[in-house]
Amino acid sequence: MVKFIVEWDETMWNTGKFVLTTEQMNIVCYAWIATALMVFVTMQYVTAPYGRHTSTKWGPSVNNKAAWFIKELNTFFVMLYYMVVGSKTFKSYVWILFAFWVIHYFYRTFIYVPMCRSTEKKMPFVIVLMSIFFNQVNAYINGFYLSEMADPADFGKEWLQSKLFLTGLVVFLTGAFINFKTDLTLIHLRKVGETDYKIPRGFLFELVVSPNFLGEIIEWFGFYLMARRNVAALCFAVWTFANLTPRAKNHSDWYKINFKNFPKRKIIIPFIY
Ligand SMILES: NC(=O)c1ccc[n+]([C@@H]2O[C@H](COP(=O)([O-])OP(=O)(O)OC[C@H]3O[C@@H](n4cnc5c(N)ncnc54)[C@H](OP(=O)(O)O)[C@@H]3O)[C@@H](O)[C@H]2O)c1
C-alpha cells in the first residue's frame, strides 16, 4: 500500500496531473469492491434507515426528497463533467456509455425524485453523506476510467457491433425497463397526499418483493458488459448489488410484519431468493 501511494504521488508530481496507471486503477477498484462486500455483510445486521425504515436514532435528519435530489444530482454532474471535459470522451464511441449514465441520472434526479409521493419523511444526515460519498466515488471512478484511461481503439465501430456490447445493451435496457416500470407502480400505489403503504401487485411483483431493485442490479450488470467488463463498471455493479439486496430483504421482512395477508414471494431473484 505504501509503495502504491508513493508511486502514485511521484507520477502526479512529475506530470502535474491527476493520473493513474492501469495497475493503480486496479488496486483502487478492487479495494473499493472489497469495501462494497464489507458493506454487504454489515447490512445483513443493520437496516439502512431511509424510506419506510427511517429512524431518529441516527442523529439529525433532513427532508427525504431534498436528500434524494442532492445525492442523485451529484452523480449526474460528476458524469456530465467527465463527459464534457474528459480528454478522450469524443475520440471514440465511449461517449455512448456516458450518455447511458447521464440519462439514467437525469431521470433519477429531475423526474423520479419529484414524482415520488413521499410523505414528510426524513433521512438521517449521516445517511445522506454516506450516499453522496458512495455515489461520488463510483461516478469518479467510472467517469475517470472512461474519459482518461479507456483506449479509444477499444471503443470503435467494431465494439458497437460486438456480441459483448449488444448482449450488454439488451441486459441494460431490460434492467432499466424493469426498474422504471416497477418504480412507477410503487409511486402510483399512493394517491397524491396519501402516506400509507399498500401491497404492490402485477408484473414481477407477483414473483419478488423488490423488482425495482432487481431491475437496477440487472441494469448495471448490463452496463458492465457493454463497457467491455472494465473494473470501474464492475465496482458500480457490485455496489448496487451490495446496497440493494439487503434492502430488499429488509423490505420483505417489513411487509411480513405489517401485512398479515402479504402473498408468498421471493425477495429479489425470482424462484431463487
Ligand atoms: N444503484 C444503487 O445502489 C441504488 C441505491 C439505492 C436506490 N437505488 C434506486 O433508487 C430507487 C428508489 O430506491 P428506494 O430504496 O427508495 O425504493 P423503495 O423503498 O422501493 O421506494 C420507492 C418509492 O415507492 C414508495 N413505495 C415503496 N413501496 C411502497 C408501497 N408498498 N406502498 C406505497 N408506496 C411505496 C416509496 O415511498 P417511501 O419513501 O415513503 O417509502 C418511495 O417513494 C430504486 O429504483 C432503486 O433501485 C439505487
Side-chain angles (χ1 to χ4, degrees):
M1 187 48 117
V2 173
K3 182 172 169 276
F4 164 70
I5 293 171
V6 170
E7 279 177 6
W8 187 14
D9 189 45
E10 273 175 6
T11 327
M12 284 197 286
W13 186 254
N14 291 335
T15 60
K17 278 192 347 196
F18 181 81
V19 283
L20 282 176
T21 63
T22 305
E23 196 193 2
Q24 288 164 339
M25 184 70 168
N26 283 342
I27 293 174
V28 169
C29 287
Y30 285 118
W32 188 231
I33 287 172
T35 312
L37 297 179
M38 284 190 278
V39 166
F40 175 76
V41 173
T42 308
M43 285 174 71
Q44 306 302 315
Y45 306 99
V46 181
T47 300
Y50 63 94
R52 77 195 64 190
H53 310 290
T54 193
S55 162
T56 48
K57 290 182 194 151
W58 289 64
S61 297
V62 293
N63 177 277
N64 192 56
K65 262 194 166 193
W68 266 98
F69 184 78
I70 289 165
K71 67 194 182 75
E72 303 302 305
L73 186 68
N74 254 287
T75 312
F76 171 73
F77 274 132
V78 170
M79 283 315 259
L80 193 62
Y81 167 82
Y82 273 116
M83 184 177 182
V84 174
V85 308
S87 63
K88 296 186 189 167
T89 309
F90 293 102
K91 289 192 175 152
S92 68
Y93 290 105
V94 88
W95 61 266
I96 292 177
L97 295 174
F98 272 106
F100 284 122
W101 265 83
V102 170
I103 292 168
H104 176 97
Y105 277 94
F106 179 87
Y107 164 74
R108 187 66 84 222
T109 312
F110 298 105
I111 300 174
Y112 172 81
V113 173
M115 233 177 0
C116 275
R117 293 173 183 172
S118 274
T119 55
E120 288 309 303
K121 273 196 192 88
K122 301 219 163 200
M123 189 184 289
F125 190 56
V126 64
I127 295 297
V128 182
L129 290 183
M130 281 162 69
S131 305
I132 289 176
F133 178 70
F134 137 74
N135 278 349
Q136 286 259 343
V137 174
N138 278 303
Y140 275 120
I141 285 176
N142 277 277
F144 184 77
Y145 179 86
L146 292 176
S147 70
E148 307 301 324
M149 299 194 69
D151 184 349
D154 288 339
F155 292 91
K157 273 206 178 112
E158 274 167 30
W159 164 64
L160 285 182
Q161 291 161 358
S162 69
K163 275 190 195 140
L164 190 61
F165 175 81
L166 295 172
T167 308
L169 181 65
V170 171
V171 174
F172 179 88
L173 293 177
T174 305
F177 172 74
I178 293 171
N179 178 257
F180 173 78
K181 180 171 166 63
T182 51
D183 266 346
L184 277 192
T185 303
L186 289 174
I187 290 173
H188 289 110
L189 287 174
R190 291 179 184 145
K191 295 198 185 83
V192 178
E194 281 183 347
T195 59
D196 56 341
Y197 289 89
K198 295 162 192 180
I199 299 179
R201 296 190 189 274
F203 189 47
L204 289 175
F205 284 107
E206 300 303 326
L207 297 180
V208 291
V209 171
S210 297
N212 53 337
F213 299 161
L214 171 66
E216 183 101 23
I217 292 168
I218 293 175
E219 187 178 340
W220 293 108
F221 180 69
F223 183 86
Y224 164 65
L225 298 181
M226 273 198 290
R228 296 188 67 116
R229 291 182 290 194
N230 76 68
V231 69
L234 180 64
C235 282
F236 193 52
V238 173
W239 266 96
T240 301
F241 176 85
N243 271 329
L244 295 181
T245 311
R247 185 159 173 79
K249 167 82 169 72
N250 296 150
H251 278 20
S252 173
D253 294 344
W254 182 94
Y255 276 119
K256 282 181 199 149
I257 293 168
N258 289 279
F259 290 90
K260 295 295 165 234
N261 59 339
F262 194 74
K264 211 167 179 304
R265 291 170 183 175
K266 292 290 180 192
I267 295 170
I268 189 165
I269 306 173
F271 313 111
I272 296 174
Y273 174 75

